[in-house]
Amino acid sequence: MTGDLGRRAAFGLAATAGGALLAGGTAAAAESTVDSTVDGKHQVSPSFTVVDKRGRQRFLLDSRKPPLIIDGQTYPPERRSGPENGSYLIFNDETGDEKGGLLVHPNGGHIAFDYPHAVDGINLSLSAKDGVGGAGLTINGIPDPDAGPGVRATPRAAFGCHTNFGAQLVLCDSQGRPRIVLQVDENDRPTIKILNGDGKTVNELA
């Protein structure tokens, strides 16, 4: 899930947030997942937030799709891709802006870490349903620091496997165009392709 605000977020292990508190970083307070007991039953909240001494969000665990905090602005959950009831873990920097996160749901999961302005830097995804799917890692180049908000990162490398195409490694040029493709396809046929800037194969080893 690259580009735009609609992306990312995260799977929640309460131990991760707890570990952050025990590590003694900037975390100073937390909103508990459990409220007071009423009629012998716990009133349980679907989220857990860790904030620093200034009250800025640093971690968020949530069982619902959470809002986004980017460049000091909060955007509604609808701007984020992902299922409504996935398990999310969000990482925020010292300004409160989102810097990545994890997501797990019944059909897979996703990990992302961001450059400034919530531009995806690294994405690791997995999807599987009814025996079809795969996993992949995408690495994007750092965007122009003068480009400002809204800039998109350029894909530079991707590695993954899928039942539809086998295993594949793609290396891209500075404009995000695939130039070298190493693949063992779904029929176990290995190939190495060299592509030009127009995406045409100029050399192939099979």
Side-chain angles (χ1 to χ4, degrees):
M1 291 180 275
T2 59
D4 206 85
L5 298 182
R7 88 271 174 287
R8 111 183 38 62
F11 97 73
L13 294 176
T16 303
L21 290 171
L22 294 174
T26 58
E31 296 177 4
S32 175
T33 56
V34 181
D35 297 327
S36 59
T37 301
V38 178
D39 294 331
K41 296 181 179 180
H42 288 298
Q43 302 288 27
V44 180
S45 169
S47 66
F48 182 97
T49 304
V50 178
V51 300
D52 61 18
K53 294 179 180 179
R54 296 167 297 176
R56 290 174 175 168
Q57 178 177 300
R58 303 303 294 271
F59 296 96
L60 172 66
L61 290 166
D62 210 319
S63 59
R64 305 158 302 181
K65 185 189 298 187
L68 290 141
I69 304 175
I70 299 174
D71 295 324
Q73 295 186 340
T74 300
Y75 298 88
E78 293 74 20
R79 298 292 294 272
R80 181 192 301 278
S81 63
E84 179 62 32
N85 296 312
S87 297
Y88 292 85
L89 170 59
I90 305 299
F91 304 112
N92 302 85
D93 64 15
E94 65 275 9
T95 70
D97 286 346
E98 187 167 319
K99 298 299 293 184
L102 300 89
L103 159 68
V104 291
H105 54 86
N107 295 323
H110 182 82
I111 301 173
F113 293 102
D114 299 337
Y115 292 121
H117 310 301
V119 176
D120 284 347
I122 298 175
N123 290 283
L124 178 63
S125 298
L126 180 147
S127 64
K129 186 176 181 180
D130 299 328
V132 176
L137 170 66
T138 301
I139 301 174
N140 297 325
I142 187 169
D144 182 351
D146 297 324
V151 65
R152 292 175 179 268
T154 301
R156 296 307 307 267
F159 174 66
C161 63
H162 198 278
T163 50
N164 291 336
F165 62 76
Q168 189 178 82
L169 171 65
V170 180
L171 302 179
C172 304
D173 62 21
S174 61
Q175 299 182 52
R177 300 174 299 189
R179 302 303 294 269
I180 299 176
V181 179
L182 292 80
Q183 182 176 18
V184 178
D185 68 17
E186 67 278 16
N187 297 313
D188 294 334
R189 185 177 72 96
T191 58
I192 301 176
K193 294 181 180 180
I194 308 297
L195 312 175
N196 64 18
D198 297 323
K200 296 181 179 178
T201 301
V202 296
N203 204 343
E204 180 174 356
L205 175 62

